[in-house]
Amino acid sequence: VHSAKTSARFAKVAPELQFIVTLFQNDLKKMRAEGKSLLEQRYLFLQNLQTVRSIYKLHNINPLVVFVSPLLQIPFFYYVAVDLRKIVNGRDPELAQELTESGFGWVTDLTDPDPWYGLPIAAGMMLYLNVEVAVGRRSLSGPTAAKSDFALLLKDLFQTLAVFMPCLASQSPAGLQIYLLSSFTWTL
């Protein structure tokens, strides 16, 4: 919910920021064509940066908030990874026994990878859908924010990751695959 509210605030200022960036790019091209010094170009950059910061401050936006949600997932992922290492190294035999005897759908052993690749493929599809909703044409941030260069770069990066997600997760234990799938589903 917090991320959605932040995205909505970003959407309100996206046209202004895009306009400022366009002006900066045009001014920078003009300065380079005129042979202006790097010091003058740096001054122009700092002026534009200050303008962007002022807009963020005026609308109570912190651009680093975008990274909060992914960073909050790190402790959970770490916990899952540590427990899986304990199982693999034999340091928690009770947990290992419980996971090998537990199942989910067609997967009978949560410590083995999904033999039919359904979980990693579904996780990849859910990640792709998450990126489309977060940064796509019908983005929560609005159509203007979704068309920004940075948003398009992020979208391409994460959708590429989503396409390769089945390959990356296919050899992981099914328990981790279930975690990824449920996390991406909840996020969507």
Side-chain angles (χ1 to χ4, degrees):
V1 171
H2 180 61
S3 295
K5 287 180 181 179
T6 303
S7 294
R9 285 199 312 267
F10 269 111
K12 288 179 184 177
V13 299
E16 294 175 56
L17 295 176
Q18 193 66 36
F19 180 72
I20 290 169
V21 168
T22 303
L23 286 178
F24 169 70
Q25 290 172 341
N26 292 341
D27 290 345
L28 189 61
K29 285 179 187 176
K30 185 178 176 182
M31 288 179 86
R32 287 181 178 161
E34 293 174 357
K36 299 285 184 175
S37 70
L38 287 176
L39 189 61
E40 291 173 304
Q41 292 176 28
R42 181 177 179 271
Y43 180 72
L44 174 69
F45 173 76
L46 291 176
Q47 276 184 317
N48 282 287
L49 184 62
Q50 186 60 39
T51 304
V52 169
R53 284 182 181 161
S54 298
I55 291 172
Y56 282 151
K57 188 175 181 180
L58 179 68
H59 294 278
N60 194 25
I61 296 173
N62 183 352
L64 299 178
V65 169
V66 175
F67 300 105
V68 170
S69 179
L71 290 175
L72 287 176
Q73 292 185 32
I74 291 175
F76 295 105
F77 189 78
Y78 178 76
Y79 173 75
V80 170
V82 166
D83 272 357
L84 288 174
R85 284 191 192 104
K86 286 179 184 177
I87 293 168
V88 170
N89 295 332
R91 283 189 254 150
D92 194 346
E94 292 174 24
L95 182 59
Q97 185 66 30
E98 187 176 324
L99 288 175
T100 55
E101 293 173 355
S102 297
F104 178 81
W106 61 91
V107 179
T108 56
D109 183 353
L110 295 178
T111 59
D112 288 336
D114 178 2
W116 298 99
Y117 303 105
L119 294 171
I121 290 171
M125 289 172 29
M126 293 306 290
L127 178 57
Y128 190 90
L129 287 173
N130 273 304
V131 173
E132 187 62 37
V133 167
V135 193
R137 280 180 290 185
R138 299 176 190 263
S139 167
L140 294 173
S141 303
T144 307
K147 292 179 183 174
S148 73
D149 292 338
F150 185 67
L152 293 174
L153 177 70
L154 279 178
K155 180 182 176 186
D156 290 345
L157 177 75
F158 282 109
Q159 284 185 331
T160 301
L161 174 66
V163 168
F164 288 105
M165 175 62 74
C167 300
L168 300 172
S170 66
Q171 297 306 310
S172 299
L176 183 59
Q177 294 172 356
I178 293 168
Y179 164 76
L180 289 172
L181 178 60
S182 61
S183 176
F184 294 147
T185 302
W186 175 255
T187 303
L188 184 63

